Amino acid sequence: MRTLTKFVQAPGAAPDVSDDSARARETQRGRIEGDGPQARETTNRDDRPATSRGAAGSASAHESAVKHVTGRAAYIDDIRAPADCLHVALGLSPVAHGRLTRLDLERVRAMPGVVDVIAIGDVPGHTDIGPVFPGDPIFVEEEISYVGQVLFAVAAESHRAAREAVRAAVVEIDEQPASLDPVAAAERGEVVRPTHVQQSGDWQRALAEAAHVVEGEQFVGGQEHFYLEGQACLVQPTEDEGVVVYTSNQHPSETQKLVAEVLGIPFHAVTVEMRRMGGGFGGKETQASPWACIAALIARRTGRTTRVRLPRAEDMRVTGKRHPFHNRYRLGVDDQGVIQGGEITVIGDCGYSPDLSEAIVDRAMFHSDNAYSLGEARVTGHRARTHTASNTAFRGFGGPQGMMVIEAAMDDIARRIGEDPLTVRKRNLYREGRNVTHYGQTVDQLALLHDLVRQLEASSDYWARRRAITEFNAESPVIRKGLALTPVKFGISFTAKHLNQAGALLHVYTDGSVMINHGGTEMGQGLHTKICQVVARELALDLDTVRITATRTDKVPNTSPTAASSGADLNGQAARDACLKLKERLFDFASEHFFAELGGLDREGMRLEAGHLVAGEGESERRIPWGELVQAAYLARISLSEKGFYATPLIHYDRATGKGRPFYYYAHGAAVAEVSVDTLTGEYQVDRVDILHDVGDSLNPAIDLGQVEGGFIQGVGWLTSEELKWNEAGRLISDGPATYKIPTYGDLPPVFNVTLLEGHPNSMASIYRSKAVGEPPFMLGMSVWSALRDALASLADYGEAPRLDTPATPERVLLAAEAVRSRHHPWPPAQGDA
């Protein structure tokens, strides 16, 4: 495989000339004069200390990289527990829908090694642990809603003893028909939350007056999170009525709340700690809490530390997935293929309860335009209730499923009017005069999106390759090649306004070392590294001077989940706020404390630079080493600790009108994918991928590149190989790596060019004008799916884009190829055609 990663500055873009970076480039190593604590550095500008190393903006290594590759990074199952730690196994429903008529656990209690057995009647507090809306009982009371729903839990001296004891339960269920079709459920009005509509203009008139009306439908499959570290927690009872919860978890504050409510105790009696996850992707935002609640119940009842660790197959059965979607569209276009208006309907398969489905389907609706103006349009979102595990957050949070409908439409429009799909996509991009979304938000940085597409179009040699592929396909009866360029415009912010806040806690110790804590969680994405870099930049220190501690609810309270690609935006600003406050305090102190000694300090021009406090300019400049400043402040009883807070400004959304500004800004990207398809077997390979992605002014280019590459590959897996299968009884049968296929190293394209766009800082005041990078690259994987459709379209001489539901497994590709051939090249030929 050839992988090329690089950084490109936009033509004509000015270099970074911010004060911080300019000063950083100017500084050089200084001299020390004198001896002992009163030593001072000279003020010679040509002889000053080098700038801080590894601060925000530099490509520093992940803070746990060495621990990861040496196996020293500790995860939940690595935490040493007391010798009397209890192990929990779960009793699960074997049916998708029914009534629990008998649950006899006496034989379970009598099994060897069993210490405690609990069910719904043993919960002293709340029994419904729905994260936003009710509907998620911690244990079944009567109604069973999916295969794998928890009936009871067993705590034993060993995991094996607990699992063996589960089988001794006497369970009787009155099984009832299960609802497994979300489209039929939506038509019957069986929804977990009300239908929502967004509308701009007269969409019916736009359809009636359009030169062409193009319509279609698609099924977009779900996706298993397949985090390497499964659902796991360890709960220790405290000396009072509380617990300490160690959990692999994206939302510690929510778990704190739910555990407290289940136990019937105040929130302050529960402390949740999370150092790192072995992957999350949204699957540990709400669905890590039930296991912590169960473990906490047992820990308080027994007074013993309790561990829950779900086996992989069980983990896959009891937790929700990315929502499968059924999408339909009907769009009116002019002779150039430009959308005039129309309607889009998305139906999310939510599973049995609301979970986060209201916001997820909302985001699918928000992103049903992707990067294109819909004109006068109506977008409708349904949240269907089915008898499966409650589907939940997954990277993109509904946005990818919404984008799929308009990307399908782009291909279909192109085939209808006889143009290349890229030409149609470019004509429909948001632009001046058509820069307001169907939900009322104005799209800024229009030039960025157009420039990004043009740059990638040129750097990938799109048109030369298009000609070569067309010629190849004309001569190749079996192997067909496809090519596609698809853009991404992804909104950044939680659409639930109150979640757009963050806190941080900063400590400076008397040796000058710094500790930062914040409300975000680390799941391998490099958030902790970026926060340390922000602190290093603000305090002008080397990165190794700053260390981060585990996320804990007793350090930073009331935190939001690490989700919506907002981790660095929110927590970085909170950490910066703490640094700014501390700097102001130190500057005030220094201007008084060192006044007589140094003959006065320029308070207005005071700054931190390369490990020093610097005041004044030129001959009057004075420099005080950071360590000396900190020591002096401590001796003068100046606080060296500070808290920070940040709340995203400007955002709002009115559900009653379907209008507002739900996103602080948009992140952009584009990808070109080339594929080869064996049209007789459906097998295919990705030959080449070119990506150009917008991260604003990157906080860490190395980490951001990894996020772009990983997000793209995960997106490709969702659309190609990761197929979730349930049997007719509603039981998940793709419940392990043997039956559920995530991409492997061998699935990487042999040519994989990834570039970060430079010279386009964020237009909004994000942390150092950077942009979020966790979710937006995921949608770049749609280029592979579109390229597969392009290859299949060649079987119809590019006269149609065949329907290709996802995941586009070889079986689906083969069926699509045969369907195209049957319509355009039937065999045997009709009489007289031979």
Side-chain angles (χ1 to χ4, degrees):
M1 179 187 73
R2 180 171 72 86
T3 301
L4 174 64
T5 56
K6 56 186 179 181
F7 316 114
V8 170
Q9 183 161 298
D16 180 7
V17 292
S18 65
D19 290 342
D20 289 347
S21 60
R23 283 196 295 268
R25 284 193 292 270
E26 290 171 3
T27 55
Q28 298 175 3
R29 179 67 59 193
R31 297 196 304 273
I32 299 292
E33 289 186 341
D35 190 23
Q38 301 302 316
R40 291 286 179 271
E41 293 203 5
T42 63
T43 59
N44 185 346
R45 273 197 172 275
D46 296 326
D47 199 18
R48 40 173 55 178
T51 185
S52 56
R53 294 185 295 271
S58 64
S60 298
H62 192 289
E63 51 90 21
S64 293
V66 174
K67 299 183 186 72
H68 289 157
V69 299
T70 58
R72 291 190 289 114
Y75 296 91
I76 298 303
D77 219 32
D78 297 314
I79 298 174
R80 294 189 179 184
D84 66 348
C85 177
L86 296 176
H87 301 263
V88 174
L90 305 175
L92 307 177
S93 167
V95 305
H97 187 214
R99 290 178 60 255
L100 180 63
T101 58
R102 183 185 179 197
L103 180 63
D104 186 345
L105 301 175
E106 290 308 309
R107 291 175 54 196
V108 177
R109 292 186 174 91
M111 290 292 287
V114 170
V115 175
D116 198 11
V117 182
I118 60 173
I120 192 71
D122 300 302
V123 180
H126 293 189
T127 58
D128 193 314
I129 55 173
V132 181
F133 305 102
D136 290 282
I138 186 170
F139 298 111
V140 168
E141 183 170 13
E142 182 176 352
E143 182 181 5
I144 292 172
S145 298
Y146 73 98
V147 174
Q149 192 166 11
V150 182
L151 306 178
F152 63 94
V154 179
E157 302 288 355
S158 70
H159 192 231
R160 180 172 181 172
R163 288 175 64 84
E164 289 177 347
V166 164
R167 294 197 290 267
V170 177
V171 179
E172 294 180 3
I173 298 170
D174 177 15
E175 187 171 1
Q176 299 171 7
S179 172
L180 302 173
D181 183 344
V183 176
E187 291 173 349
R188 292 192 299 266
E190 295 173 3
V191 294
V192 298
R193 294 294 299 162
T195 292
H196 185 48
V197 177
Q198 298 164 345
Q199 183 173 325
S200 63
D202 189 342
W203 63 275
Q204 291 172 312
R205 180 182 59 81
L207 280 172
E209 296 178 358
H212 308 276
V213 174
V214 182
E215 55 188 314
E217 59 182 303
Q218 65 180 178
F219 168 73
V220 181
Q223 187 177 23
E224 161 64 31
H225 300 87
F226 219 92
Y227 23 65
L228 292 181
E229 178 194 31
Q231 299 283 358
C233 66
L234 181 76
V235 179
Q236 296 176 338
T238 61
E239 62 184 5
D240 48 31
E241 79 277 33
V243 289
V244 177
V245 180
Y246 301 91
T247 170
S248 185
N249 195 308
Q250 292 176 238
H251 199 348
S253 286
E254 182 174 84
T255 296
Q256 175 195 34
K257 169 185 178 292
L258 294 174
V259 167
E261 289 176 343
V262 165
L263 293 177
I265 59 178
F267 291 8
H268 68 223
V270 177
T271 299
V272 177
E273 177 174 319
M274 216 300 296
R275 175 58 181 92
R276 63 172 62 83
M277 280 169 275
F281 309 116
K284 297 174 182 176
E285 182 175 345
T286 62
Q287 302 208 1
S289 293
W291 328 119
C293 291
I294 291 170
L297 283 166
I298 293 170
R300 286 308 322 169
R301 284 165 58 88
T302 63
R304 294 168 63 172
T305 297
T306 303
R307 186 189 295 277
V308 174
R309 181 190 65 228
L310 301 186
R312 176 66 64 179
E314 196 168 285
D315 189 317
M316 293 181 71
R317 287 197 295 271
V318 302
T319 59
K321 321 297 177 196
R322 179 186 296 281
H323 290 58
F325 266 69
H326 292 260
N327 299 331
R328 295 192 297 268
Y329 76 88
R330 190 159 60 104
L331 299 174
V333 303
D334 64 16
D335 289 331
Q336 298 299 306
V338 177
I339 297 173
Q340 304 302 299
E343 62 173 337
I344 291 173
T345 300
V346 298
I347 302 173
D349 183 348
C350 301
Y352 83 97
S353 74
D355 193 80
L356 299 175
S357 292
E358 178 156 281
I360 288 168
V361 176
D362 277 358
R363 190 172 278 265
M365 297 169 66
F366 287 132
H367 288 84
S368 61
D369 59 344
N370 190 6
Y372 316 109
S373 171
L374 296 180
E376 300 182 81
R378 180 180 72 174
V379 177
T380 304
H382 302 286
R383 296 150 179 82
R385 184 181 190 271
T386 56
H387 289 118
T388 60
S390 189
N391 289 318
T392 191
F394 200 130
R395 196 177 198 167
F397 202 78
Q401 296 98 307
M403 287 186 187
M404 281 292 290
V405 66
I406 196 63
E407 289 303 332
M410 288 293 117
D411 291 337
D412 295 346
I413 292 168
R415 303 312 176 195
R416 170 71 69 87
I417 68 170
E419 293 273 13
D420 189 272
L422 175 56
T423 299
V424 171
R425 285 184 165 92
K426 288 167 64 178
R427 289 174 182 169
N428 280 284
L429 291 175
Y430 279 105
R431 57 194 179 279
E432 290 297 338
R434 292 185 55 135
N435 62 338
V436 179
T437 67
H438 57 284
Y439 49 89
Q441 179 161 346
T442 299
V443 179
D444 66 352
Q445 290 194 297
L446 296 172
L448 183 157
L449 182 57
H450 288 261
D451 289 347
L452 188 150
V453 170
R454 278 196 295 267
Q455 285 189 48
L456 185 60
E457 181 183 351
S459 65
S460 67
D461 298 320
Y462 179 90
W463 293 109
R465 291 164 65 192
R466 168 60 73 197
R467 289 189 293 271
I469 285 172
T470 303
E471 293 172 2
F472 174 89
N473 287 341
E475 301 296 327
S476 177
V478 175
I479 304 298
R480 295 297 178 100
K481 289 184 175 292
L483 183 70
L485 187 158
T486 59
V488 166
K489 173 187 68 67
F490 190 79
I492 304 299
S493 287
F494 288 101
T495 54
K497 182 178 178 179
H498 71 277
L499 295 178
N500 292 282
Q501 59 176 299
L505 181 63
L506 177 71
H507 297 319
V508 177
Y509 297 96
T510 54
D511 66 346
S513 64
V514 179
M515 186 77 79
I516 184 69
N517 187 273
H518 63 96
T521 58
E522 175 64 47
M523 60 194 90
Q525 84 279 36
L527 174 60
H528 282 353
T529 306
K530 289 183 174 181
I531 301 304
C532 288
Q533 289 183 282
V534 168
V535 173
R537 176 163 166 169
E538 284 300 323
L539 301 183
L541 300 172
D542 289 347
L543 182 58
D544 59 11
T545 307
V546 183
R547 182 159 295 180
I548 203 157
T549 54
T551 305
R552 280 180 65 106
T553 55
D554 59 355
K555 288 189 176 181
V556 177
N558 310 318
T559 59
S560 296
T562 304
S565 301
S566 64
D569 281 5
L570 294 175
N571 296 286
Q573 290 282 29
R576 182 172 183 262
D577 181 57
C579 291
L580 291 173
K581 292 175 182 175
L582 181 63
K583 283 198 295 186
E584 289 302 306
R585 186 184 307 142
L586 290 175
F587 290 170
D588 290 341
F589 160 73
S591 66
E592 296 181 7
H593 179 77
F594 295 106
F595 180 84
E597 188 177 354
L598 296 179
L601 291 180
D602 177 12
R603 174 64 180 83
E604 293 303 315
M606 201 173 286
R607 61 197 181 274
L608 293 177
E609 184 178 280
H612 291 70
L613 182 146
V614 182
E617 298 285 346
E619 295 299 321
S620 64
E621 182 185 277
R622 298 292 184 268
R623 305 176 65 79
I624 302 166
W626 169 255
E628 183 178 330
L629 172 66
V630 168
Q631 280 277 353
Y634 167 72
L635 293 173
R637 298 183 296 175
I638 301 299
S639 172
L640 295 173
S641 181
E642 187 57 79
K643 66 180 186 298
F645 182 79
Y646 175 75
T648 308
L650 303 178
I651 52 176
H652 59 92
Y653 182 68
D654 184 348
R655 288 189 64 80
T657 62
K659 298 291 183 184
R661 178 186 177 157
F663 306 116
Y664 189 40
Y665 64 86
Y666 296 102
H668 304 88
V672 177
E674 181 178 333
V675 300
S676 295
V677 179
D678 184 332
T679 60
L680 295 184
T681 67
E683 294 178 291
Y684 55 85
Q685 65 182 27
V686 182
D687 300 320
R688 174 178 168 179
V689 171
D690 298 79
I691 293 173
L692 181 59
H693 198 74
D694 159 39
V695 295
D697 284 347
S698 175
L699 289 177
N700 186 318
I703 284 176
D704 287 352
L705 279 167
Q707 287 292 291
V708 174
E709 294 167 350
F712 170 81
I713 293 299
Q714 190 175 47
V716 172
W718 166 54
L719 294 173
T720 60
S721 65
E722 298 185 41
E723 186 172 25
L724 293 165
K725 298 286 285 186
W726 287 263
N727 64 17
E728 293 180 354
R731 179 186 177 90
L732 181 71
I733 56 177
S734 53
D735 58 2
T739 51
Y740 185 82
K741 308 303 291 183
I742 65 172
T744 65
Y745 182 83
D747 295 310
L748 291 172
V751 179
F752 194 16
N753 301 320
V754 180
T755 306
L756 297 182
L757 180 70
E758 288 196 339
H760 284 285
N762 196 339
S763 62
M764 303 307 298
S766 60
I767 183 71
Y768 306 134
R769 301 285 175 170
S770 63
K771 287 190 177 183
V773 72
E775 291 172 304
F778 181 90
M779 279 68 78
L780 298 173
M782 291 186 295
S783 61
V784 170
W785 172 77
S786 187
L788 290 172
R789 293 189 80 202
D790 184 66
L792 293 171
S794 71
L795 296 174
D797 299 324
Y798 299 103
E800 71 164 292
R803 176 172 172 173
L804 183 61
D805 292 341
T806 69
T809 59
E811 293 85 354
R812 280 199 171 109
V813 171
L814 176 59
L815 290 173
E818 291 179 343
V820 174
R821 281 199 173 101
S822 69
R823 289 192 294 271
H824 294 270
H825 305 286
W827 187 264
Q831 189 172 0
D833 291 344

